[in-house]
Amino acid sequence: MSKNDLHILMLEDDSMDAELNKAQLLLLEEYNCIVEWVTDKVSYIAAIQNSNPDIILSDYNLPGYNGLEALKDLRERKRLIPFIFVTGTIDEETAADTIKSGAWDYVVKDRLFRLPLAIRGALQLREEKAFKASALEQNLKLSKALEQSPVHIVINDIEGKIEYVNARFTEVTGYTPDDVIGKNIANVFPESILSPNAEEDWKAIREGSIWRGETQSHKKDGTTFWESISVSPIKNEDNEITHFIAVKEDITARKLMEHALIEARDRAEKSDKLKDAFLQNLSHEIRTPLNAIVGFSELLKLPDSKASETIDEYTGIILDNSYQLLSIVSDILTVARIQTGQEEVIYTPVNVSELMDKLYTVFEIKARERHLALRLTPGTQPQYTVTVTDETKLTQIITNLLNNAIKFTHEGFVEMGYTFKNNEINFFVKDTGIGIAKESCEIIFERFRQANATTVYNYGGTGLGLSISKSYAQMLGGKIWVESDQGKGSTFFLTIPFYPDEVKPSADKQANSIAIDKELTVLIAEDEFYNYLLIKSILSMPNITLIHAQNGYEAVELCRKRDDFDLVLMDIKMPVMDGLTAFQEIRQIRPGLPIIAQTAYALEQEKQQFIEKGFDDYIAKPIRKDELMDKINKAIMEHA
């Protein structure tokens, strides 16, 4: 059987190592390996300019040149050529740098037997990347052709249900995709279905004919316009009609003016959608560096810190601003999730009395700092009154109300409480603050809105807290409102349904020191070096031994070779092998090994998904020392 030629460019200054590499290449029995051997930069540059190798093998250190520089020179030319380091002993940090720089793999010379496997894997990955790139390019062309078409296009199934409209359709008619997709075209445009002879026309179309004509239709705002239409059937491989495509063109004299108005509105709507998508995707990248900022700043403020008073003051400022930035980012992402319908309600039994006591403990300190009195008026209920609701969202609403009450009150008191009536729980937060004008009592619940410009100037804030609170209240089946007199204070009310549930109070937790005092060996899977360094600093104790894996693959291999790990802290987004895949493989190797997800994927539904996948626990970045200790302690005790 004939073999395919495999052109290999090898950058290696040592002739003996080059021969060893060639010997391993003979094991690629399915290929006829044609090796071009170069030893320096000049020869290498000439080779990648004048030839088209299938794969590049490169030593890491060469006289006057190194492998990372060779990789950079290749990437600058934007060539899809697998680049594999074949080098001597390489430390973990350098190996990670090669992968981050774009290397496809690396093989150490004392494990040269991996070279054929690495080459096969790289070639397969190249085929997949090339195929995906080609498919993506074709899809983008088709998508752009539809979206940028000067005519508006509607695709519906054989029953008339609309499945797709392009951007031009929205520009002309005013209907957004959400307005029409899933609805029957007869219901959207009841008085203008193709022509007065709609039944006959549709019959002809269903039989495979192309219909052309002009008709009067209407826009979403009720105004009418004339359009020319061409409707054609779409057939599958068996020549069966599955859909119809309507290509329409606005032919009214008012087209330019109406189009300008619709286009302006569409740009605003599109801008909102792009903003939401951008903020959601940005969440992970923001939280990762914040993890190091907040974590190390917190470590510097520990009682045993040897930092000077000036450094202590600066780290305090770093912490305050970091938490403020994190709060803003969280609020904006929450708004984006609410807008896009991604925010979910997670129902669990919640002890209302305990929840209010915890909030009182936290905010009593904040109120005292502002020289205010904080009062708690508990409702009349049994000792353990439990309702089924979303504890996170309920806590967030009351937290927002208490923050605002303390923020806008200069003297007097803030009172928090709740009552039970008609199967409802009625919460209230009352203050003696600046109050709100009657005409502003509704707009303060809108996104990015505050009572007036003076409030923004004097007190700052994004104006998102009450908007989020209103959305959460509605999601919980309740409502929120305010009663206020300007200059005399405000009372915010929150009402949610009361769903009783029999839940016994949990037993007191054992002291955290039980698990932390044990001898532990902890595997940390984390590709970001500074994040690993933070966890290492937090867990720097004589009784804890730390082992670092820079990706999921390394974590799995370590668990295959060692059986002394007591716990795994698993990052999710990592190169080579992601944390979720690594978790699943480790579960096969060590079913009882506690594994905690530590990640910048911080949305509530993401947390729920990780727990449902089987992780023992979850901690979101930025990581707090106390929280990490508690979760490690809990996981160790549960598996004792």
Side-chain angles (χ1 to χ4, degrees):
M1 184 176 68
S2 62
K3 300 180 180 180
N4 293 326
D5 290 342
L6 184 66
H7 295 269
I8 300 173
L9 175 61
M10 179 169 58
L11 177 58
E12 172 61 68
D13 64 316
D14 189 294
S15 60
M16 181 175 294
D17 286 344
E19 291 302 318
L20 290 173
N21 291 346
K22 291 179 180 179
Q24 289 297 320
L25 295 177
L26 295 175
L27 299 178
L28 293 166
E29 298 176 351
E30 66 272 35
Y31 295 108
N32 176 32
C33 293
I34 303 171
V35 180
E36 180 179 3
W37 175 29
V38 295
T39 61
D40 53 42
K41 177 178 181 179
V42 174
S43 302
Y44 171 77
I45 296 297
I48 61 176
Q49 286 179 337
N50 301 324
S51 63
N52 188 32
D54 296 305
I55 201 161
I56 296 176
L57 307 179
S58 174
D59 194 3
Y60 186 83
N61 291 310
L62 301 104
Y65 196 47
N66 65 46
L68 287 179
E69 293 174 316
L71 176 57
K72 180 181 178 182
D73 288 333
L74 175 66
R75 295 190 68 185
E76 287 177 351
R77 288 161 175 79
K78 298 181 179 180
R79 305 276 296 279
L80 186 63
I81 302 175
F83 189 103
I84 299 176
F85 280 102
V86 183
T87 184
T89 303
I90 185 171
D91 58 43
E92 292 182 348
E93 183 175 353
T94 305
D97 287 341
T98 64
I99 298 300
K100 291 178 181 178
S101 298
W104 294 46
D105 204 345
Y106 65 89
V107 177
V108 292
K109 292 180 178 178
D110 59 358
R111 300 185 67 189
L112 204 56
F113 62 88
R114 282 195 63 251
L115 183 57
L117 179 62
I119 290 176
R120 290 188 181 102
L123 292 174
Q124 182 178 355
L125 182 59
R126 183 185 66 174
E127 290 183 7
E128 293 173 357
K129 286 186 175 182
F131 178 81
K132 288 180 180 178
S134 176
L136 179 61
E137 183 179 1
Q138 291 299 322
N139 286 337
L140 286 175
K141 287 180 181 178
L142 292 174
S143 177
K144 288 181 179 179
L146 289 175
E147 288 301 310
Q148 298 177 11
S149 174
V151 295
H152 53 290
I153 297 171
V154 180
I155 298 176
N156 55 269
D157 65 14
I158 57 175
E159 300 301 327
K161 185 172 66 176
I162 298 173
E163 294 188 1
Y164 170 83
V165 294
N166 68 349
R168 179 64 176 169
F169 171 88
T170 299
E171 293 173 358
V172 173
T173 68
Y175 288 99
T176 67
D178 289 339
D179 291 331
V180 299
I181 288 178
K183 296 181 180 180
N184 195 286
I185 193 168
N187 296 328
V188 180
F189 305 108
E191 79 288 357
S192 57
I193 305 303
L194 301 178
S195 75
N197 303 314
E199 289 298 328
E200 294 181 11
D201 294 331
W202 272 115
K203 181 180 179 181
I205 295 170
R206 289 193 179 98
E207 291 174 352
S209 299
I210 297 175
W211 185 92
R212 294 183 179 88
E214 295 182 356
T215 186
Q216 190 177 44
S217 188
H218 72 276
K219 300 184 180 183
K220 184 178 180 180
D221 60 9
T223 60
T224 59
F225 70 103
W226 283 91
E227 57 182 1
S228 64
I229 306 175
S230 173
V231 181
S232 306
I234 300 175
K235 300 180 181 181
N236 61 18
E237 295 83 359
D238 298 325
N239 204 36
E240 298 171 336
I241 298 175
T242 61
H243 295 81
F244 301 103
I245 180 169
V247 180
K248 307 182 179 185
E249 184 176 3
D250 187 348
I251 57 173
T252 62
R254 302 186 301 275
K255 174 183 176 182
L256 291 177
M257 179 183 67
E258 293 167 349
H259 171 71
L261 293 174
I262 295 171
E263 187 179 44
R265 185 194 60 200
D266 287 346
R267 282 200 301 267
E269 291 176 352
K270 187 179 292 184
S271 176
D272 282 345
K273 292 177 183 178
L274 290 175
K275 177 191 68 176
D276 294 340
F278 172 75
L279 291 172
Q280 290 167 350
N281 292 332
L282 198 61
S283 173
H284 184 276
E285 301 304 322
I286 290 177
R287 287 178 180 273
T288 297
L290 274 178
N291 181 46
I293 295 172
V294 176
F296 281 109
S297 299
E298 188 175 31
L299 288 176
L300 287 174
K301 289 183 67 62
L302 292 176
D304 59 350
S305 176
K306 298 180 181 180
S308 67
E309 293 182 1
T310 301
I311 294 180
D312 187 65
E313 178 185 356
Y314 288 171
T315 55
I317 294 172
I318 292 172
L319 270 175
D320 291 343
N321 283 275
S322 296
Y323 290 136
Q324 181 180 359
L325 176 59
L326 184 59
S327 175
I328 293 171
V329 172
S330 297
D331 283 349
I332 295 175
L333 292 175
T334 297
V335 169
R337 293 196 303 273
I338 292 171
Q339 275 189 285
T340 55
Q342 297 179 17
E343 191 71 18
E344 298 178 356
V345 177
I346 301 174
Y347 288 102
T348 59
V350 179
N351 190 305
V352 177
S353 177
E354 290 182 1
L355 185 148
M356 294 296 281
D357 286 341
K358 290 177 183 177
L359 288 173
Y360 174 81
T361 300
V362 172
F363 281 94
E364 196 274 334
I365 298 172
K366 295 184 178 182
R368 197 164 59 240
E369 291 174 351
R370 294 285 300 266
H371 306 291
L372 300 173
L374 180 62
R375 305 171 184 172
L376 172 60
T377 303
T380 56
Q381 76 286 330
Q383 184 178 3
Y384 297 104
T385 300
V386 175
T387 186
V388 177
T389 188
D390 189 316
E391 183 173 8
T392 300
K393 290 179 174 56
L394 177 58
T395 302
Q396 183 65 55
I397 296 170
I398 301 174
T399 296
N400 288 343
L401 298 181
L402 288 169
N403 272 325
N404 283 348
I406 294 174
K407 178 179 179 179
F408 294 110
T409 302
H410 301 294
E411 59 181 4
F413 67 88
V414 173
E415 182 179 0
M416 56 186 292
Y418 59 100
T419 59
F420 294 85
K421 184 179 180 181
N422 298 330
N423 291 323
E424 290 183 336
I425 310 177
N426 303 296
F427 299 89
F428 67 88
V429 174
K430 181 179 181 181
D431 65 65
T432 56
I434 62 175
I436 305 167
K438 297 293 184 183
E439 61 271 17
S440 298
C441 286
E442 291 294 332
I443 68 169
I444 60 172
F445 292 101
E446 298 176 9
R447 286 193 297 273
F448 308 107
R449 294 291 297 273
Q450 295 192 17
N452 52 57
T454 303
T455 302
V456 177
Y457 181 81
N458 292 332
Y459 296 92
T462 61
L464 293 176
L466 290 178
S467 169
I468 293 172
S469 297
K470 181 179 180 180
S471 295
Y472 278 178
Q474 292 171 342
M475 293 174 72
L476 298 180
K479 60 181 179 179
I480 188 172
W481 72 97
V482 62
E483 295 177 2
S484 181
D485 288 325
Q486 196 163 14
K488 297 182 180 180
S490 306
T491 303
F492 282 81
F493 298 92
L494 166 67
T495 297
I496 63 171
F498 173 60
Y499 301 116
D501 186 80
E502 296 294 330
V503 177
K504 295 181 180 180
S506 58
D508 292 337
K509 293 182 179 179
Q510 300 182 34
N512 288 348
S513 59
I514 293 177
I516 299 301
D517 285 345
K518 293 181 178 180
E519 294 289 334
L520 300 178
T521 300
V522 179
L523 173 60
I524 303 172
E526 173 60 68
D527 64 309
E528 292 288 344
F529 177 72
Y530 288 116
N531 290 342
Y532 163 71
L533 192 58
L534 168 62
I535 299 174
K536 179 181 177 183
S537 300
I538 292 175
L539 300 180
S540 180
M541 302 177 189
N543 58 305
I544 298 181
T545 301
L546 303 178
I547 305 299
H548 183 202
Q550 297 189 48
N551 54 61
Y553 175 79
E554 289 186 11
V556 172
E557 291 304 303
L558 284 168
C559 288
R560 292 188 196 279
K561 297 174 183 176
R562 302 177 56 156
D563 61 0
D564 59 338
F565 292 124
D566 299 293
L567 179 81
V568 179
L569 294 175
M570 181 70 73
D571 189 20
I572 300 300
K573 185 179 180 182
M574 294 185 291
V576 184
M577 180 185 290
D578 64 84
L580 184 57
T581 303
F583 161 78
Q584 294 168 340
E585 294 202 16
I586 293 173
R587 272 285 185 262
Q588 298 294 323
I589 302 169
R590 294 276 305 277
L593 180 61
I595 304 178
I596 298 174
Q598 53 96 13
T599 175
Y601 291 112
L603 304 184
E604 187 65 26
Q605 55 265 39
E606 291 171 337
K607 173 182 176 180
Q608 193 69 21
Q609 289 168 3
F610 291 132
I611 297 300
E612 290 173 356
K613 291 289 185 182
F615 281 92
D616 293 87
D617 211 332
Y618 164 99
I619 185 169
K621 297 174 181 177
I623 293 173
R624 303 289 299 275
K625 179 179 180 180
D626 291 343
E627 184 182 10
L628 179 60
M629 290 298 196
D630 287 342
K631 290 184 179 293
I632 291 176
N633 181 63
K634 176 184 173 184
I636 294 298
M637 287 194 297
E638 287 179 350
H639 287 77

